[in-house]
Amino acid sequence: MVEMKTVSIAMLGSGFVADFYMQGLRDVNGQQVALNYSRSLAHGRRFAERWGIPESTASLAKAIARDDIDLFVIALPNEAHLPVSLALSQARRNQVCTKPLARNRAEARQMLRAAVKSRALHGYAETEVFAPAVVKARETIERGGVGRVIWVRSRESHSGPHSAHFWDIEKTGGGAMNDLAPHCIEAARYFFGKPDKVVEAMAWMGTLVHGHRTKGEDNALLALKMSGGGIAHCELSWTSKGGLDLRNEIHGSEGSIFTDVTRGTPIQSFTTRSAGYVVEKADIDFGWTRPLPEEAFAYGYQAEMRHFVECVRSGAVPRETYEDGYVVSCVLEAGYASAQKGRWVPVKY
């Protein structure tokens, strides 16, 4: 038997998405998270202790200087993506970044160009296209089960962000559309096939509930015209109660596919008191609830982390790279421009 190389990982971040990445990595063989970087030393130490990470640091330079790290995972707030990624590229380090890749197209372009120039691995951690239900849907499409894909509808909604920085659009780049649409845009590209490009975008945005907390939109609709004539539309909300709502519909010339990760769970319960964690963004944890078993697996965190670890080990190019993150940023830019102009806007790549 050939001994498997252990991939050494540095987790950059100690918040919500970093926790989900650690849950995903927990079931991935042949890897070890050897280092945590956090902008808060106290948060980093608590994170490292919780996950059994041997070392934590608040020095990004110290983390990047580690030549025993095979992969750096950027799980930091949006405003940190660009400077951290550029520093990693300068040092020619393998990197994976959470969504959205950047706050806007210009930042995403800088990250992509620097990563390509470094000749190191770069992976875009978009969970939606690694979720088992979504992967199965794509397999059905590839086998001709629904004929030609003509319409994709995706919904990503919950009652609002879990962290204060999400409400500040100067730090994030936008509101609910910037936060949630990356999942839906990439799902559309996955279902139609990436050669079928998004050529135009049309969006509506509104701040209907959370105007006292943010200058950004808390609800949005985003429609996408594909080069092959198909249409995709994305429903995005920070005001929807009942926990995270993740759904896709794929309609083809010969059939349809429906995915529902959070509302179609295999367990329902009614409790008169709290029974603990239910699902991401759940507003209550008693009464009628739909707990989601193996949440990190269902959302795609485990599959994407396994994929990126295997790519580092084999030297393969990931199926989601910074190029994909850049494309999503281009579509988002067109969507925001459309909401301002009130018309369809071409997507510029």
Side-chain angles (χ1 to χ4, degrees):
M1 295 180 63
V2 177
E3 185 177 353
M4 179 185 296
K5 169 181 164 49
T6 297
V7 173
S8 182
I9 298 172
M11 184 62 62
L12 308 183
S14 58
F16 179 83
V17 75
D19 268 321
F20 261 125
Y21 288 150
M22 292 303 298
Q23 290 180 49
L25 284 164
R26 183 171 53 196
D27 298 317
V28 176
N29 293 327
Q31 59 78 28
Q32 180 186 20
V33 180
L35 176 67
N36 171 250
Y37 160 76
S38 175
R39 297 183 296 178
S40 163
L41 187 58
H43 287 174
R45 284 173 175 169
R46 287 195 294 270
F47 184 86
E49 182 178 351
R50 183 164 68 251
W51 289 104
I53 301 171
E55 186 177 346
S56 181
T57 181
S59 169
L60 181 63
K62 180 180 177 181
I64 294 176
R66 288 272 297 266
D67 58 8
D68 61 323
I69 300 296
D70 301 306
L71 177 64
F72 292 81
V73 178
I74 303 173
L76 293 161
N78 296 2
E79 71 269 21
H81 293 185
L82 176 64
V84 171
S85 177
L86 294 183
L88 289 168
S89 293
Q90 181 67 29
R92 301 185 185 278
R93 303 302 194 206
N94 295 326
Q95 58 182 293
V96 163
C97 184
T98 189
K99 70 83 201 168
L101 185 64
R103 291 180 293 183
N104 52 56
R105 185 177 77 143
E107 289 188 357
R109 183 170 59 242
Q110 290 183 66
M111 290 173 64
L112 171 60
R113 287 178 173 174
V116 170
K117 184 178 179 180
S118 77
R119 304 183 69 85
L121 175 144
H122 49 96
Y124 180 52
E126 172 47 70
T127 51
E128 184 70 5
V129 297
F130 288 93
V134 172
V135 171
K136 183 62 178 178
R138 176 61 196 174
E139 290 175 356
T140 301
I141 293 168
E142 290 175 342
R143 291 169 181 160
V146 297
R148 181 173 62 88
V149 175
I150 55 177
W151 193 349
V152 171
R153 174 192 179 198
S154 297
R155 178 170 180 80
E156 177 103 7
S157 67
H158 52 66
S159 58
H162 53 273
S163 298
H165 72 268
F166 272 97
W167 301 100
D168 186 344
I169 61 173
E170 295 300 320
K171 291 182 177 180
T172 61
M177 187 161 76
N178 188 73
D179 179 33
L180 304 174
H183 297 301
C184 302
I185 294 168
E186 202 59 0
R189 296 182 69 230
Y190 189 50
F191 294 138
F192 277 103
K194 291 179 183 178
D196 194 354
K197 290 186 175 182
V198 182
V199 292
E200 290 186 80
M202 164 74 90
W204 164 88
M205 302 186 306
T207 307
L208 308 181
V209 175
H210 298 304
H212 63 294
R213 305 186 70 178
T214 182
K215 295 180 180 178
E217 71 284 357
D218 59 19
N219 282 274
L221 294 172
L222 175 64
L224 311 174
K225 284 183 184 178
M226 313 304 291
S227 61
I231 191 81
H233 80 265
C234 314
E235 303 169 9
L236 315 154
S237 179
W238 275 354
T239 66
S240 149
K241 300 293 185 181
L244 185 61
D245 187 0
L246 294 178
R247 284 180 278 170
N248 294 292
E249 297 178 13
I250 306 100
H251 300 283
S253 57
E254 305 296 331
S256 298
I257 306 169
F258 303 84
T259 74
D260 185 349
V261 171
T262 53
R263 302 300 171 98
T265 63
I267 178 173
Q268 299 180 51
S269 65
F270 178 82
T271 61
T272 57
R273 61 185 66 183
S274 173
Y277 184 84
V278 177
V279 67
E280 182 185 342
K281 306 295 194 306
D283 299 290
I284 58 173
D285 56 7
F286 62 92
W288 279 109
T289 58
R290 291 178 176 271
L292 179 57
E294 298 293 343
E295 202 173 15
F297 180 82
Y299 293 157
Y301 286 100
Q302 193 270 348
E304 71 174 0
M305 289 295 108
R306 184 182 68 239
H307 175 70
F308 293 132
V309 167
E310 290 174 351
C311 287
V312 170
R313 183 179 294 116
S314 67
V317 176
R319 67 177 176 90
E320 291 287 309
T321 70
Y322 281 11
E323 182 176 359
D324 297 293
Y326 172 69
V327 167
V328 170
S329 292
C330 293
V331 175
L332 281 171
E333 181 181 82
Y336 277 105
S338 167
Q340 292 178 342
K341 297 175 181 179
R343 60 175 174 81
W344 286 96
V345 170
V347 179
K348 297 179 181 178
Y349 296 106

